[in-house]
Amino acid sequence: MSTLDQIPQFQLSGQDGATLSFRSAQGDVAHVFVLESDIVRVMVLPGGKLHHPKTWAIAPGADDVATIGRDRFDLSGFSLPDYRLQHAAGQVCISTGQIRLTIELSGFYCHWETQISGEWHSAARDRATQSYNFGWWDNKVYHYLQRSHDEMYFGLGERAGDSNRHGGRYTMSNVDAMGYSARSSDPLYKHIPFYLTWKPASRVPFGLFYDTLADCHFDMGRELDNYHGLYRYFSAEHGDLDYWFIGGQTLLDVVKRYTWLTGRPALLPKWSLGYSGSTMAYTDADNAQQRMNEFLARCAEHDILCDSFHLSSGYTSIGNKRYVFHWNRDKFPDPAAFVEHYRAHGVKLIPNIKPCLLRDHPQFAEAAARGLLLQNPDGSPALEQFWDEVGAYLDFTHPDTLLWWQQQVHEQLLHYGMAATWNDNNEFEIRNPRAHCQQFGTPRPASEAKPLHTLLMLQASRAAQIDYAPQQRPFLVSRAGCAGMQRYVQTWSGDNYTSWETLQYNIKMSIGLSLSGVSNTGHDIGGFAGPAPDAELFLRWLQASVLMPRFSIHSWNDDHTANEPWMHPAITPQVRELIKLRYRYLPYLYQQLWRAHQDYQPIIRPTFLDFPDDARCYQENDDFLIGPDLLLAPVVAPGQSRRSVYLPQGSGWYEVNSGQYYDGGERISLAAPLNGQALLLARAGSAIALNVATQHFAQRSEQRGLALYPHPGDGEFSGSCFEDDGDSVLSRQQYGEWRWHVCSTSQQIQFELSHHGQLPPGLSCTELWLPTGETREVVLIGAQCLHDQPQPQGRCLTISQ
């Protein structure tokens, strides 16, 4: 072991295109990779040894990575730009058009600068004392950076607490955190070691991604030590220090670039954005199939629109034990008929599957004999606690396990008509240090890369679905995950506790996750664990979630009741109308899903992402944008009848329900009655695609309309709306889009509408809505006005093309 007075002295030892290599006399190695003008990567290897030569996170602009992983020295997919290399006394300086990295060769201290609006600004510096661990302390991985008081940190996935992580300490070791506190619990379900830094004084944004699957920690300024000055740090229990610096002009640039780096977000089927029912109470009941069928009857009775139902694991349970892929035929005597009954009502079933076989599972002995499970050194299954029993996790780094899993998904689920998979309880809580996985021929301790099994589980489920229905887009849901999970699944914030505090802080959790590349997410509406929500909390939760990408009411209440749309009869009409409101806005949501897939745009957005020049947007708040044009202001405290909302400066805003216009940069107070709709504000200079058709349960229809929010005076803007059949893979179908261009003056609004490509058969745009009180003349180009009349919801123009 080295001592602190043995500071490694590095020299540039090689330059091979985009890769620069450095070596010390003690054998320490570092590599710098110049991958893009705005992405430079550093790998520091004390002792010169690379412990984990493969990555599953990096997929630049790609839909997937190879199951066996990607070599860490593989630079394919990057543009590898020209760069400038300069030498000075004891230093090396590497410059691209956007990033400048200066390295002190004594100790390999790095200073990062980014070019903002043509000027270089300091972004980050390694701590001046022991920024890396060159064998000084232990075998763990460390990276220490200097910190300033005013820096703001965002991201790190779905962490509890405030959106700004400064002053916090966070652990990434995925656990089944049922009933967690959204304000303080740590760790949680996902492993995404990426965060954004915003330096308000110099207006410098950047991101850091640590490519590791090991349990790791981020101290963002909670720890203080007089001997080292102000600092923040990353540490990992195993693996290598391989980190990526991402620059950009804005935080939005950095978020998009990181998402691109870790893979294209999946374009999931359109029906995945609809209401999805779920509860543990139905499938845990002895009369499970009857309870499930009652759900459809109640949806019909109350006219609750519904696209899918998450089938909880009780369909496989005997007592409290869950036996994945093993139907309980006492509860569900005819799975095929059961699935068909749901399909006939237009509701798709999404069955819960788990990656652990209990020791008395009917297939446990066979799986153990075939080596499909994580193993102890003697070859026996490595047992772990799982629910109320012990079992062994499947080893998803074993090719035979992947084939077995795909076969089970096919035979036990898809064969019966299931439409998707719900990959659950997949945190892989491996506590046994002796447990080994095969790692595709290179056995290693399973605890060193637990999230890898989660990712490969998702890959295997997706492969099974594609193989079974190659013309359809696969839909998968996963609770756990890691960097790159957006390539496969929709997710949610796990088993949240029913409380007002959870409602408030779940919003911040979704913002953190969206800033970390995963924005197709939502929450269990009403809370999953604890008491049943009262009517006020339930309705406010629905209002807050009405435009979240995932919209599911799911529960396992302490009193064994279920959270259902009709659970409080007095507010069932309001619940029904909120769900119908969601379906009215579904084309806008689908457009955001398309933008995420096509352009790496986050769907859930803190206001500072779109209004970076407004300092007040960086203050902690409970508001958020869905896409760039709709601002939600949920009520997150009981007994409130009004809501104070700060409107970001740089745009005007229309309150959607009333049509009232407000200037940006103001704080306003809006009525927020409990029996009202969600508080939505639309950006002036936007148009929101709508489904204006009348819809009922099991009687779906589609007709396009646009809600137009013009500038109050002179202004112009353009927009578009993606259209396809919502289900087929893009390579097997035609698709198109609506496009519009709007010019306004104080007297007139000129609206030009066209469509391009191939629209779904029979789909036309028939309605143009303007805010209540909008009286300017509307001139149509590309369409004809049939009627122009006021309605309670605003001014409606019936149009034809």
Side-chain angles (χ1 to χ4, degrees), residues 212-245:
T212 182
L213 290 165
D215 285 356
C216 57
H217 313 275
F218 286 85
D219 191 299
M220 312 307 290
R222 174 164 293 187
E223 180 177 298
L224 297 173
D225 189 330
N226 180 54
Y227 301 145
H228 299 282
L230 295 178
Y231 59 88
R232 63 188 188 273
Y233 70 93
F234 158 84
S235 65
E237 299 296 312
H238 310 282
D240 308 289
L241 181 59
D242 187 1
Y243 71 95
W244 303 63
F245 182 97

Side-chain angles (χ1 to χ4, degrees), residues 694-755:
T694 300
Q695 300 188 77
H696 300 287
F697 175 68
Q699 301 175 33
R700 303 293 299 282
S701 58
E702 190 87 20
Q703 200 65 47
R704 193 62 63 242
L706 289 172
L708 179 61
Y709 298 97
H711 295 99
D714 293 345
E716 64 179 296
F717 66 93
S718 300
S720 62
C721 174
F722 174 76
E723 301 279 10
D724 70 346
D725 68 10
D727 193 56
S728 303
V729 296
L730 291 182
S731 62
R732 295 175 179 265
Q733 64 154 319
Q734 298 293 320
Y735 56 90
E737 65 177 6
W738 300 99
R739 296 178 188 171
W740 54 83
H741 184 76
V742 180
C743 294
S744 63
T745 67
S746 60
Q747 302 297 318
Q748 186 185 83
I749 300 170
Q750 187 180 90
F751 177 78
E752 182 177 358
L753 179 66
S754 61
H755 61 79

Side-chain angles (χ1 to χ4, degrees), residues 534-712:
D534 62 26
E536 181 185 12
L537 177 57
F538 186 56
L539 194 59
R540 292 303 194 195
W541 217 312
L542 282 160
Q543 291 173 338
S545 304
V546 69
L547 292 184
M548 285 280 186
R550 175 177 169 83
F551 187 80
S552 181
I553 302 171
H554 184 37
S555 60
W556 199 12
N557 297 335
D558 289 346
D559 62 2
H560 306 293
T561 60
N563 293 352
E564 302 158 314
W566 45 83
M567 67 184 297
H568 295 293
I571 62 167
T572 299
Q574 290 95 321
V575 173
R576 176 176 57 248
E577 292 310 307
L578 278 166
I579 293 175
K580 288 192 173 184
L581 178 71
R582 177 180 181 84
Y583 279 82
R584 182 174 173 85
Y585 279 89
L586 217 58
Y588 177 78
L589 278 176
Y590 193 50
Q591 171 69 7
Q592 305 318 308
L593 196 65
W594 170 250
R595 293 175 77 242
H597 173 75
Q598 191 73 1
D599 196 34
Y600 310 98
Q601 291 275 359
I603 300 173
I604 304 167
R605 305 155 81 103
T607 54
F608 64 72
L609 209 62
D610 289 270
F611 299 92
D613 296 331
D614 190 338
R616 284 167 290 188
C617 289
Y618 295 89
Q619 298 172 3
E620 291 293 330
N621 63 77
D622 304 314
D623 309 332
F624 60 97
L625 291 157
I626 293 293
D629 297 325
L630 283 178
L631 175 64
L632 276 75
V635 175
V636 296
Q640 306 298 306
S641 60
R642 301 194 67 81
R643 173 65 150 80
S644 174
V645 186
Y646 175 72
L647 303 179
Q649 191 169 28
S651 175
W653 298 89
Y654 288 90
E655 201 274 305
V656 169
N657 294 326
S658 68
Q660 179 67 45
Y661 173 82
Y662 298 93
D663 289 325
E666 297 180 356
R667 180 168 292 280
I668 62 173
S669 178
L670 296 175
L674 186 60
N675 63 351
Q677 294 283 15
L679 271 183
L680 294 173
L681 294 114
R683 187 203 292 247
S686 70
I688 308 299
L690 304 171
N691 182 4
V692 296
T694 300
Q695 300 188 77
H696 300 287
F697 175 68
Q699 301 175 33
R700 303 293 299 282
S701 58
E702 190 87 20
Q703 200 65 47
R704 193 62 63 242
L706 289 172
L708 179 61
Y709 298 97
H711 295 99

